[in-house]
Amino acid sequence: MKFRILGSVEIWRGGTAATIVGEKQRTLVALLVLRANQLVSHEELLRALWGDAPPASGRRALHNHVWSVRRLLADEGGISTSSGGYSLKVSSRGSDLGVFGAEVTAAHDARAANDLPRAAERLRAALDLWRGPALAGTRLEFQSEQGYALEEARLAALTDRIEVDLALGRHAELVGELRQLVHSAPLRERFRGQLMLALYRDGRRADALEQYRLARRCLRDELGLEPGDELARIHQGILAADPELMTADSAEPSQVRLSPARVVPRQLPADVARFIGREKSLAALDTLLSASHGRPLVISAIAGAGGVGKTALATRWGHLRADRFPDGQLYVNLHGYSYNATITAGEALRQLLRGLGVAVEEIPLNTDERSAMYRSILADKSMLVVLDNAATADQVRPLLPGSSCRAVITSRSSLRGLVATHDVDLVVLDVLQPEEAESLVRAFLREDGQSQESIGELAALCGYLPLALRLAAARLRDSGESIADLVTRLRAGSRLAALEFEEDPHAGIRSTFALSYQTLPATARVVFRAAGLHPGPDISLEALAAMTSQGPDAISQAVALLVRAHLVHCSESHRVSMHDLIREYARELAGDGDGGAEALTRLLGWHAHTARSAMTHVDPDVRLLWPEVKPPTGGPRDFADRDSAMVWLNNEHRNTVSLVAHAAHHGSPVLAWQLAYITAYHCYLAGQLDDWIVSHQTALEAARQVGDLNGEARILTTLAHALLEADRYGEFLDYQRMAVELAAATDDRRMQAEAQFYVAFGLFRTGQLMESLEANALALELYRALDHEPGEIATVYLKGQVYVRLGRMQDALECLHPSLTALRERGRQHDEAHGLLDVATAYLGVGNVKAALESATLALSIARELDDHAVEALALCHLGEVKGRQGLYGEAVQLLQEALVHAKQLRRRLTECKVHNRLGRTSAMLGDHEQARQHFRVAMDLATKIDDTYELEAARAGLA
C-alpha cells in the first residue's frame, strides 16, 4: 500500500492506483496521511471536509466516507477507529511524504558527515517525489491551509540541494535553474543570494552585482525594504573579492547566547478611549486566561474591511489584565494586513529580543537561533505577548512564547494551522452588535437625549462598522447637525457623501477609503472598481480576471494589495468580498470612469459560458444551449470532473442568481433566461428551491419581455420543476402544457418532446395514470423521431413507474431494469439511485424481498457517496419498509425515524409523508394501533396540504 499526496492524492495498491471518488474522500485520505499513525479528531476531519459549517449529519457522512476509503484500502486495520476520531496506519516509507522526509533527513546526515555528493543525491530523490502542487484534488480551502507548509518544505529542500551543489562546484550548471527560480519568486532572497554566488564563482562578477541591484530595486518597489543581512554580506564580499565566497560556508551555527539584562517591557499601545461593548469577547479572553498555561490566544476578524477593532480589543484587554503579567507586556505589529510591508518572523524576533533587553550585537542572524533565544529568555517569566496584525500561521509560530507566558494574536485570518499544532482558541470578532454601535454613538455625543430610533437607524446605515460610526458621531458632534437629518441624507443618497466633511477634505469615510485607494498601483485600482461593480455577494479571482482582462498573476497580486490596504477581504477559498460602504465607494469610482458596462458584459459572458462548461459534467445527457453572449477571450473555465464542476456551481450559486436579475433589468433579457435555464438542474441538486423559483420567475418575465417564445418554453419547463419540488403539482402540469404549445408553435421538436414527457410525469404525480401512459406514448414517439436515446430511456422509466402504481409489478420490472442499466452506463448516479428505489418497490410487489433489500441498500450507498441527503432520506424510508416486510420491526422503526429526521431538516414534505405512512404500518404490525393512527393522521394532513394522491390514499387506508 502506498499513499501519494505530493501532487494529486492517490492510493496505490499492487502497482495500480485505486479510484478515490470525490474531493471529500481525497481530502479525508490526505489529512489522514498528513497525520499518519496519529489520532485525528472528528472535529478536525469535519472541518477539513466541510469547512467551518459542517452539515448536521456530518458525523454520519464522515463515517460513510471512512467506510468507502476502507474499501479502497482492502485492509481492515488500515484505518483504526476510536471514540475521538480515526487514525491511518502508514509505514515509515508508506507515503511519498514519509519518503520525502526520510530522504531529506538522510541528506542532512550525509551533509553533517561531509558527504556532499550523497547529500545532493538524496535531496534530488526527495524533490523527484513531487508531481505537482501538493494535495491536488482536495477541497480548495484544505489545499490552502495544509499545502502552504508542504510547499515551504519543498522549497527548503530545493534551497538545500542548490546549496550543496554550490559547495560541490556545480555553479555553472545552476545559473539557469536559479534564474528561473528568481523570476518566479523575486522576493525570496535566498534564491537571489545563491544566484549571485553561482555567477560570482563562474567568473561573472558583473552579472552577480547586477543581480543585487535588481534585488534591491524589487524589494524597495514591492515592500519598501532594503535587502537582508545575508544578501548584503554576499554583495560586500563580491565587491571586496572575498576569497571565502569561493567556498561553501561550513561554520557551525552559533550557540544561543542569553542577555543577562533585566528588563520589564511595557510596550502595549495607549488604552482605547471610549471603548464600547465587546463584553462577550473580553469575557472569552478572561476564560481563556484562566485555563491551563501554554495556550496562545487568537482574535480573528471575519470578512470585512479594516477598522473592525481587533487591535483595540487586544489593547483594551491587555491593559485591563496587566496585573496578571508581572514580567511585562511585549507588542509587535506584524503588518500582515496593511499597506506597510509585512514583518518577517526574523525581524519580529529582533524587535522582541530588543524589547527584552538583548543587545543588537548579541542577536543571532539566523531566525531559528533568534527563536530559541527568545523562548529561553521567556522560559521562567509570566508575560503577555501581543502579536498584532498577523498574516499567516508560519509568520506567528516562531514568535510564540513558552509555557509560562501568553500570546494574543490579532489577524484577519483564523490561522487554523495553529489550532492543530498549538491548541489555539479562537475569539471571532465581527462588526459591533446594534446595541453596542448605538452606545458608541452616544458616547461620542456625550448625551442620551437623542431619538433611540434615529440612533439605531444611523448605526445600521453605517454597517455597525466602528470606523464609520466614529466618523458619523464626530460629524454630528462637530457640525451640530441632528441625527434625524443625517439619517435622512444617508437614506436618500450616497452614504459616503453624507459622511464627508467639507471643511476638512482629509476627513470623512470616503476620504479614509481614498487614502488607501490612492496608494494602489493602476492594476489594483482597476480590480477594486471591478469588484465593486459585481452584483453578487462575492467574486472569484477568475471572474475579476474576466472583468478586467488581466492575467491570473496580476489579479492575485492586485487582490493581495487590496487585502493589505483593508479595502477587500479575500477568503481562504480565494473569493473577494467587501463591506457595504466600501462597495459603495468602489461603485462610485467605477461610475466616474469608462469601461464599467464593458466589464459587466465580459463578466456575464465568462459566467454564462463557464456555467455551461460546468453543467456539461453535472448533466451530460441534457442539450445545453450556447449563451448568446461573447465568450471570454481565453475561453471559459474547464473542469476535470463532476466534483470540481459542482464546487464551482455551489460557490457561484448566489452570484448566478444575482447575475440573472442584473441581466434581466439591465439590457440583457435573453442572457437572463439562458443563464437561468443552463443552471436549473444545479438548483435542483443543491436544494436551492427558493432561489430557483425567484430566478426563473425573473427569467420568464425577461423571455416574455422580448417575445422570445423559445426561451419562454424552456423556462416554463424548468420553472415548473421548481414548483413541483414545492409540491405545487397543478401548476407544474399547467406550465408543462403551455411549454408543449409554445414548442409546437416554434417547431422546436426537441423541446416539444421534453415538455410532453413532463406532462406525462405530471399526470403520473397527480394520480391520472392512464392519461399519463397516453401522454408518455406521445413523448416516446417524438423522441424516437428525433433518435434521442436519453429521452426514450426516460419515457420507458416513467412507464415502469406508472406500472408500479397500477400494481403491474412484473411489467414494471421489465421497464425499470433496462432503464436502470442505461442510467448506470451513462454515469447518472443520482438518477440511478432513484431508479433503484423504484425497482425495490417493484421487487416487494412480486415478493422478492432479498432483491428489494439489495436495491435499496445500493441506493443508500450511492446517496451517501454523492452526499445527497434528500435521496438518502428516501433510501432509508425504502429500507425501513423492506425491514418491516422481513419482520425486523425494530430495525425498520430505527431506519424510518432516521429518514424522518432528514426529511424534516430538508423540508421535504412528500418524503416526510411517505415516512409517516410507513411508520404507521410498522406500528400497526407491532400492535401499537394508537401510535399507528397518529402517524397516519400526520401523513393525511401532509398529503392533503401537498395534494399527493398516492400518500393520501395510503393514509386513508391505514386509518380505515
Side-chain angles (χ1 to χ4, degrees), residues 436-760:
E436 293 175 340
E438 294 165 18
S439 296
L440 180 60
V441 175
R442 292 188 183 280
F444 267 85
L445 297 179
R446 298 192 181 95
E447 56 91 18
D448 293 324
Q450 298 285 343
S451 163
Q452 179 66 34
E453 182 179 347
S454 295
I455 289 180
E457 188 169 0
L458 173 64
L461 288 167
C462 290
Y464 308 116
L465 184 71
L467 170 63
L469 291 164
R470 288 174 178 269
L471 287 169
R475 181 184 184 92
L476 290 170
R477 187 183 62 191
D478 298 338
S479 68
E481 184 179 14
S482 71
I483 292 182
D485 288 343
L486 178 57
V487 164
T488 299
R489 292 201 295 115
L490 287 169
R491 229 189 295 132
S494 167
R495 287 179 283 177
L496 302 178
L499 292 172
E500 285 299 295
F501 292 85
E502 293 180 5
E503 66 277 11
D504 185 353
H506 299 297
I509 195 162
R510 182 194 281 120
S511 303
T512 301
F513 295 154
L515 286 174
S516 295
Y517 175 77
Q518 289 165 5
T519 61
L520 298 170
T523 300
R525 294 186 186 191
V526 170
V527 171
F528 176 67
R529 296 194 299 270
L533 283 172
H534 192 284
D538 59 15
I539 183 170
S540 68
L541 301 188
E542 290 174 290
L544 281 171
M547 291 184 76
T548 61
S549 300
Q550 297 288 332
D553 291 342
I555 291 295
S556 296
Q557 292 171 11
V559 169
L561 284 172
L562 292 171
V563 169
R564 288 205 295 271
H566 301 300
L567 290 172
V568 303
H569 172 72
C570 187
S571 70
E572 293 180 358
S573 55
H574 307 296
R575 301 191 70 80
V576 175
S577 58
M578 292 176 163
H579 187 278
D580 286 347
L581 290 172
I582 294 182
R583 182 186 295 275
E584 186 171 328
Y585 174 67
R587 285 180 177 172
E588 191 176 88
L589 291 173
D592 292 339
D594 298 326
E598 290 82 355
L600 283 168
T601 298
R602 288 192 294 269
L603 170 67
L604 288 167
W606 174 82
H607 193 97
H609 284 278
T610 301
R612 185 190 187 282
S613 174
M615 290 304 298
T616 58
H617 291 276
V618 173
D619 198 14
D621 286 342
V622 171
R623 178 185 59 168
L624 289 170
L625 57 82
W626 286 98
E628 292 183 22
V629 63
K630 185 178 178 181
T633 303
R637 176 175 173 176
D638 291 326
F639 298 92
D641 51 27
R642 185 182 189 276
D643 285 349
S644 59
M646 281 296 292
V647 167
W648 186 88
L649 289 162
N650 290 336
N651 288 339
E652 295 289 341
H653 170 71
R654 294 298 308 148
N655 288 334
T656 300
V657 173
S658 298
L659 287 168
V660 168
H662 178 87
H665 299 126
H666 292 86
S668 301
V670 172
L671 182 59
W673 77 253
Q674 289 179 341
L675 179 56
Y677 182 73
I678 287 168
T679 55
Y681 188 55
H682 171 257
C683 288
Y684 165 69
L685 293 177
Q688 298 287 356
L689 182 57
D690 292 340
D691 286 340
W692 187 0
I693 292 175
V694 169
S695 64
H696 277 62
Q697 285 173 337
T698 300
L700 183 61
E701 292 173 7
R704 286 172 172 171
Q705 173 189 337
V706 294
D708 190 334
L709 298 182
N710 181 266
E712 184 179 351
R714 290 169 185 262
I715 291 298
L716 281 169
T717 63
T718 49
L719 176 56
H721 274 83
L723 297 172
L724 177 69
E725 289 298 303
D727 304 320
R728 293 156 65 175
Y729 303 146
E731 290 174 88
F732 169 84
L733 197 50
D734 290 342
Y735 277 25
Q736 297 295 359
R737 283 171 170 154
M738 291 167 60
V740 170
E741 293 176 6
L742 286 172
T746 58
D747 199 29
D748 187 341
R749 298 295 180 87
R750 174 78 174 270
M751 190 72 252
Q752 184 181 356
E754 185 177 321
Q756 180 65 44
F757 168 74
Y758 291 137
V759 168

Side-chain angles (χ1 to χ4, degrees), residues 90-365:
V90 183
S91 65
S92 59
R93 299 181 72 87
S95 71
D96 54 2
L97 179 61
V99 176
F100 174 80
E103 295 288 358
V104 170
T105 300
H108 289 168
D109 293 343
R111 195 172 178 185
N114 206 28
D115 187 352
L116 297 183
R118 177 169 172 76
E121 179 185 353
R122 299 272 56 81
L123 286 167
R124 280 191 169 82
L127 292 166
D128 285 344
L129 294 166
W130 290 75
R131 297 165 288 112
L135 310 177
T138 62
R139 286 185 69 246
L140 292 176
E141 186 177 2
F142 178 80
Q143 290 181 50
S144 176
E145 291 174 4
Q146 303 293 337
Y148 182 82
L150 293 175
E151 177 62 13
E152 284 297 310
R154 185 189 72 84
L155 289 174
L158 177 59
T159 307
D160 287 348
R161 196 225 80 211
I162 293 171
E163 192 170 302
V164 172
D165 282 344
L166 282 170
L168 289 169
R170 298 169 178 168
H171 34 264
E173 58 196 81
L174 286 171
V175 169
E177 179 183 9
L178 282 165
R179 283 193 186 279
Q180 287 185 332
L181 291 170
V182 166
H183 177 74
S184 61
L187 299 180
R188 193 172 279 269
E189 293 187 42
R190 197 167 177 195
F191 284 150
R192 186 83 69 169
Q194 289 175 328
L195 176 56
M196 290 171 65
L197 282 175
L199 289 167
Y200 180 63
R201 292 176 185 177
D202 196 36
R204 300 161 66 179
R205 182 168 177 264
D207 289 343
L209 292 172
E210 172 66 8
Q211 283 299 319
Y212 181 79
R213 187 188 67 79
L214 293 172
R216 189 164 184 258
R217 186 176 69 182
C218 178
L219 289 166
R220 292 179 70 176
D221 289 349
E222 292 291 330
L223 304 176
L225 293 177
E226 290 293 330
D229 293 341
E230 181 62 18
L231 212 58
R233 183 187 67 80
I234 296 173
H235 178 241
Q236 288 299 321
I238 294 172
L239 288 173
D242 186 348
E244 290 188 8
L245 288 184
M246 298 303 293
T247 59
D249 184 5
S250 59
E252 291 296 325
S254 60
Q255 297 299 311
V256 173
R257 296 158 293 179
L258 304 182
S259 171
R262 168 64 178 170
V263 176
V264 181
R266 302 292 182 188
Q267 296 184 340
L268 284 180
D271 204 356
V272 182
R274 300 185 184 92
F275 186 90
I276 298 294
R278 307 298 196 193
E279 286 83 3
K280 290 183 179 179
S281 299
L282 291 168
L285 291 174
D286 284 340
T287 301
L288 296 171
L289 183 61
S290 64
S292 59
H293 288 294
R295 301 174 64 200
L297 314 180
V298 175
I299 302 172
S300 176
I302 65 168
V308 77
K310 302 180 296 294
T311 301
L313 177 62
T315 302
R316 178 65 170 167
W317 184 77
H319 281 286
L320 288 173
R321 300 294 175 256
D323 60 322
R324 300 292 296 270
F325 304 101
D327 293 312
Q329 307 103 19
L330 293 169
Y331 172 89
V332 61
N333 187 347
L334 299 172
H335 293 293
Y337 290 90
S338 69
Y339 192 68
N340 295 324
T342 301
I343 299 297
T344 64
E347 172 59 21
L349 284 165
R350 189 191 69 80
Q351 293 183 27
L352 291 167
L353 288 170
R354 290 293 294 131
L356 290 167
V358 179
V360 173
E361 61 273 12
E362 292 183 349
I363 297 176
L365 295 177

Side-chain angles (χ1 to χ4, degrees), residues 833 836-861 875-888 891-892 895:
L836 284 164
L837 296 178
D838 286 317
V839 167
T841 301
Y843 273 132
L844 283 179
V846 297
N848 192 341
V849 180
K850 181 180 178 182
L853 178 62
E854 290 176 355
S855 295
T857 301
L858 181 55
L860 179 62
S861 176
L876 288 166
C877 180
H878 279 73
L879 270 176
E881 184 173 16
V882 173
K883 292 294 183 180
R885 289 286 292 273
Q886 291 179 314
L888 303 172
E891 291 185 40
L895 289 164

Side-chain angles (χ1 to χ4, degrees), residues 805-832:
R805 292 297 183 185
L806 290 171
R808 297 167 56 179
M809 299 302 182
Q810 194 58 51
D811 291 336
L813 287 171
E814 290 176 5
C815 292
L816 293 172
H817 273 307
S819 302
L820 192 60
T821 300
L823 290 171
R824 189 173 292 138
E825 289 174 350
R826 292 177 176 273
R828 299 185 65 86
Q829 289 184 288
H830 179 85
D831 296 330
E832 180 189 352

